[in-house]
Amino acid sequence: MGQQSVRGGSAVWALVITSVAGFMAALDNLVVTTALPSIREDLGGALEDLEWTVSAYTLTFAVLLMFGAALGDRFGRRRLFMAGLAIFTGASAAAALAPGIDSLIAARAVQGVGAAVMMPLTLTLLTAAVPAARRGAALGIFGAVTGLAVASGPLIGGSLTEHISWQWIFWLNVPIGIALLPLARLRLDESYAPNARLDVPGTLLVSGGLFGIVYALVNGQADGWNSFPILTGLIVGTVLILAFIRHGMIAKNPMLPMRLFRDRAFFGINIASLLMFLGMFGSIFLLSQFLQGVVGYSPTEAGLRMLPWTGMPLIVAPIAGYLSDRIGGRPVVATGLALQAVGLGLFALVLEPGVSYAAQLPGLILSGVGMAMYFAPAASVVMSSVSPGEQGIASGANNALREVGGALGVAVLGAVFAAQGGYETPDAFSDGTVPALWIGAAAVALAAVTALMIPGRGRSGGPVGETAPDLKEREPAVA
């Protein structure tokens, strides 16, 4: 384990600080979606510009997460957590002050850098501060808070956009970040990982690869799928990702050791997370605009009508956490993902310009229940699938794959939307959104199947997802 100084930090303070920081970082994934029509009206921009407003954040967040975790392991997790929080807070102010769409996209990218340093260290700091016997409950609360942030983004963004201005979706982060910085300095313990090394080649490979692929998917419809920049992005991006996988197999200290994926629990929960976020992020990106641009809701009305989806984690997550402790993470996660897939499918079946709210309600409720059942046990399953010395890597990998899924979801479903429809008329918007939602539902359904790979019971005979005492000295597998 790492060296750790004793500073009087408590488990409760660690839970509060890391949960609030995680809420902020997760909120900024989707808080912008309900504000997109207002941003488009104010700053201009085509579909691909709106996609980059979301994806600039998720992409930098994704590709730098594991590097951020390694920086924390080497230079001090609390120190780097505070540095990431400061960058995130400053970039939020820059986004609020952005005079044009390009500067907004740039500020969102810097926000993602700060979140990438801050976010993976939240779980590591929390895990170190909470006794093993209470760790499952603490991680369940953290996961529920993060899930609520992702789900409530459209409501918070819509309310701030309508009643103040879209800039306040970013100003909101500034006082919270300023308040968290001294609390983190005073209440969190510093810790390190022994012999931590930075994997610069791995970071460059995964960053270049993902950027090339997402760039091609986002701009393919506008530039032409056979154009040189798009084909180059797809081919070079794929080659770099394959090189990153190979690097993870043969390098001495890679940022993501591929041997971790030999563990069924680690493989199942991470691939399921990627597919879940692909389907969910892309769908919400389009649905939040559909509810305003086609159905005619105001930003606040759109957010309020999504409450059966966004508010469900508050009710279901504690129950899901309890069930996970009793029967294991696999059935809870898989059932949640299946319900989320059915919910998106119901949306696709009823979506048309004149759709009533009553027709939307079943999809909203099932999506909310499914999301809550996925989020509550997911973090605990991830952290219990590796040894304590690799929990920082595991946290970074899971968060990174989620964000990769989100960026790919916006890009893929946005490309389907652009190919099948557009912004011209309500009918055109519906024609583009329906097939995109079916693809989102299929991705989440595949996530449910993948989650079945998670073992039903841990090595101790207890449920998977429970950080049992006998797991504390599990050594990494030999490559």
Side-chain angles (χ1 to χ4, degrees):
M1 299 279 302
Q3 298 172 348
Q4 186 168 334
S5 59
V6 180
R7 296 185 46 83
S10 70
V12 173
W13 274 112
L15 179 59
V16 170
I17 294 167
T18 57
S19 294
V20 173
F23 185 93
M24 271 204 314
L27 182 71
D28 268 62
N29 276 309
L30 285 177
V31 71
V32 73
T33 54
T34 322
L36 286 173
S38 297
I39 292 173
R40 186 167 179 250
E41 182 179 346
D42 194 10
L43 301 182
L47 171 65
E48 55 266 27
D49 296 312
L50 298 183
E51 290 183 53
W52 277 117
T53 303
V54 177
S55 295
Y57 178 82
T58 56
L59 194 57
T60 53
F61 195 172
V63 300
L64 294 175
L65 265 168
M66 289 174 281
F67 192 67
L71 285 172
D73 288 344
R74 182 170 183 178
F75 297 110
R77 290 161 179 155
R78 184 190 64 197
R79 181 180 294 117
L80 266 294
F81 171 80
M82 293 174 62
L85 179 58
I87 293 170
F88 180 85
T89 304
S92 296
L97 296 169
I101 192 71
D102 291 337
S103 54
L104 175 60
I105 292 170
R108 289 282 286 166
V110 178
Q111 260 193 316
V113 173
V117 176
M118 172 179 70
M119 190 65 176
L121 299 174
T122 55
L123 275 181
T124 312
L125 289 165
L126 179 60
T127 302
V130 178
R134 293 157 51 197
R135 204 167 288 155
L139 290 171
I141 293 171
F142 179 91
V145 170
T146 304
L148 179 62
V150 172
S152 62
L155 172 60
I156 295 173
S159 299
L160 291 173
T161 298
E162 181 177 352
H163 297 295
I164 309 178
S165 70
W166 64 262
Q167 286 88 349
W168 274 90
I169 65 179
F170 302 113
W171 283 127
L172 178 67
N173 295 326
V174 176
I176 298 174
I178 292 173
L180 282 182
L181 281 168
L183 284 176
R185 176 67 179 85
L186 295 171
R187 297 294 182 176
L188 294 178
D189 293 338
E190 185 59 283
S191 63
Y192 304 81
N195 304 317
R197 297 184 183 182
L198 303 179
D199 181 11
V200 176
T203 302
L204 294 175
L205 287 172
V206 72
S207 300
L210 288 173
F211 177 79
I213 292 171
V214 172
Y215 172 84
L217 290 172
V218 169
N219 293 280
Q221 189 66 25
D223 295 352
W225 292 102
N226 293 323
S227 65
F228 179 76
I230 301 305
L231 290 176
T232 301
L234 288 173
I235 295 169
V236 174
T238 301
V239 169
L240 290 176
I241 292 297
L242 292 174
F244 172 73
I245 294 172
R246 176 65 175 165
H247 175 78
M249 293 177 178
I250 65 176
K252 186 176 181 181
N253 291 290
M255 62 189 299
L256 180 57
M258 291 298 151
R259 58 177 166 75
L260 292 178
F261 288 94
R262 296 175 186 171
D263 184 283
R264 286 172 53 202
F266 187 85
F267 180 91
I269 192 63
N270 279 287
I271 301 305
S273 295
L274 185 149
L275 292 167
M276 155 71 170
F277 273 63
L278 190 156
M280 185 192 70
F281 265 61
S283 298
I284 291 180
F285 173 77
L286 294 172
L287 283 172
S288 58
Q289 296 181 74
F290 176 86
L291 292 176
Q292 294 178 66
V294 177
V295 183
Y297 296 145
S298 71
T300 302
E301 288 172 341
L304 284 172
R305 281 165 173 77
M306 292 184 77
L307 271 179
W309 188 350
T310 62
M312 201 60 70
L314 288 174
I315 302 170
V316 178
I319 301 171
Y322 174 81
L323 288 174
S324 179
D325 287 340
R326 292 293 178 183
I327 64 176
R330 178 178 65 181
V332 179
V333 170
T335 301
L337 292 169
L339 291 174
Q340 175 75 83
V342 172
L344 292 177
L346 288 176
F347 264 117
L349 285 173
V350 303
L351 218 61
E352 59 182 6
V355 63
S356 68
Y357 184 62
Q360 300 172 43
L361 205 52
L364 288 167
I365 293 172
L366 283 179
S367 295
V369 173
M371 181 185 290
M373 292 183 69
Y374 159 79
F375 274 120
S380 188
V381 172
V382 170
M383 299 303 273
S384 63
S385 67
V386 297
S387 66
E390 291 182 320
Q391 285 179 340
I393 295 174
S395 169
N398 183 251
N399 281 286
L401 287 169
R402 289 184 183 190
E403 300 306 320
V404 167
L408 290 175
V410 171
V412 171
L413 271 63
V416 174
F417 169 83
Q420 300 295 321
Y423 286 100
E424 294 80 13
T425 65
D427 284 329
F429 202 103
S430 298
D431 290 342
T433 303
V434 169
L437 286 179
W438 280 120
I439 291 177
V444 182
L446 183 57
V449 175
T450 306
L452 295 176
M453 297 186 67
I454 300 169
R457 292 279 164 181
R459 295 186 181 187
S460 64
V464 167
E466 180 180 295
T467 313
D470 68 324
L471 295 179
K472 65 184 179 181
E473 297 299 333
R474 185 194 300 183
E475 293 298 324
V478 177

